[in-house]
Amino acid sequence: MLFAVDIGNTNIVCAVFDNDSLTAQWRIASDTRRTGDEYTSIVLSMMRDSSIDLGSMDKAIVSSVVPDLIGAFVTVAQRVCRTKPYVMTSALSLSKKLPVSLPEGSTHELGTDLLCNAVAAWQKFKCANIVVDFGTALTLTITDSKGIIQGVDIAPGLRTAIYALASNTAQLPIVPLEAPPSTLGSTTKEAMQAGVVLGYKGLVEYLIKQVKIDLQNKTGDKIEDIRVIATGGLNSVLKPLTDCFEYVDKELTLKGLKAISDFVQ
């Protein structure tokens, strides 16, 4: 069985795959002050609570956008699987090991989480696509019909935007990420929700529309053939407000990790 770890800025998602089946997953707060021993204790406890057969764990893969936590989860993986994990790096996006990659000769780097998204989307659709990931950052990863990752867009995530307002002003509080009745905010809460939640609806819809145009102009891929996939923990905030997503999968990054493990291990 595969132990897959996706380390994000806010949460760490640990998962267990039995062949292609995602059998369990857990979320832990990202905390660079914790040691590998501490995280090992947490992970082993969660696995035992989920009746995971530790004797069947024989492979591990780690993706991280927090470099300071990689060492801790190498320790975790070695304790859980009794083998060294495969640690993804941005260089993998320039290799020929995967079905998608950055353009040949590119000097750019791609976050390993975004590479996971691109691989999973390609495995699902095998066509030009845009993955919109609602996490600490809001990202769009754009892949053409030949599996070339043509670009990425990055904006502050929904919760990041709310926290930025609350922490940088004297009287604005943290408010729930919910759509208000209208853009005519009559309370501070509704005013912030209108600006952030409804504002992000416009931001996402505009970016998707323009990305499709730009991708068609650059590669010849037809706008109507470009699939749009949403993922990330906060995708549910905008999902009821827009019809721009053709497919929603909160486990997309984990599925990409699993697919990458199959390609490289």
Side-chain angles (χ1 to χ4, degrees), residues 92-150:
L92 188 58
S93 60
L94 291 167
S95 74
K96 300 298 181 183
K97 296 179 179 180
L98 306 178
V100 302
S101 66
L102 288 170
E104 190 170 347
S106 174
T107 58
H108 296 163
E109 295 182 346
L110 185 70
T112 55
D113 56 336
L114 304 187
L115 182 57
C116 289
N117 287 343
V119 169
W122 182 263
Q123 292 292 92
K124 175 70 178 179
F125 292 105
K126 291 186 171 58
C127 68
N129 64 77
I130 304 166
V131 179
V132 186
D133 191 338
F134 293 87
T136 305
L138 169 69
T139 63
L140 281 73
T141 305
I142 304 108
T143 304
D144 68 18
S145 59
K146 294 180 179 179
I148 304 300
I149 300 168
Q150 291 291 347

Side-chain angles (χ1 to χ4, degrees), residues 12-63:
I12 301 160
V13 183
C14 299
V16 173
F17 284 88
D18 187 358
N19 294 317
D20 290 331
S21 176
L22 177 59
T23 61
Q25 63 173 295
W26 312 273
R27 287 181 178 269
I28 313 168
S30 299
D31 186 350
T32 56
R33 296 170 298 178
R34 277 182 170 158
T35 66
D37 289 340
E38 289 176 293
Y39 274 120
T40 297
S41 177
I42 293 169
V43 169
L44 288 176
S45 176
M46 293 187 302
M47 285 186 165
R48 292 188 186 103
D49 288 346
S50 299
S51 300
I52 299 296
D53 179 10
L54 292 172
S56 299
M57 304 297 301
D58 57 3
K59 196 161 64 167
I61 186 168
V62 176
S63 164

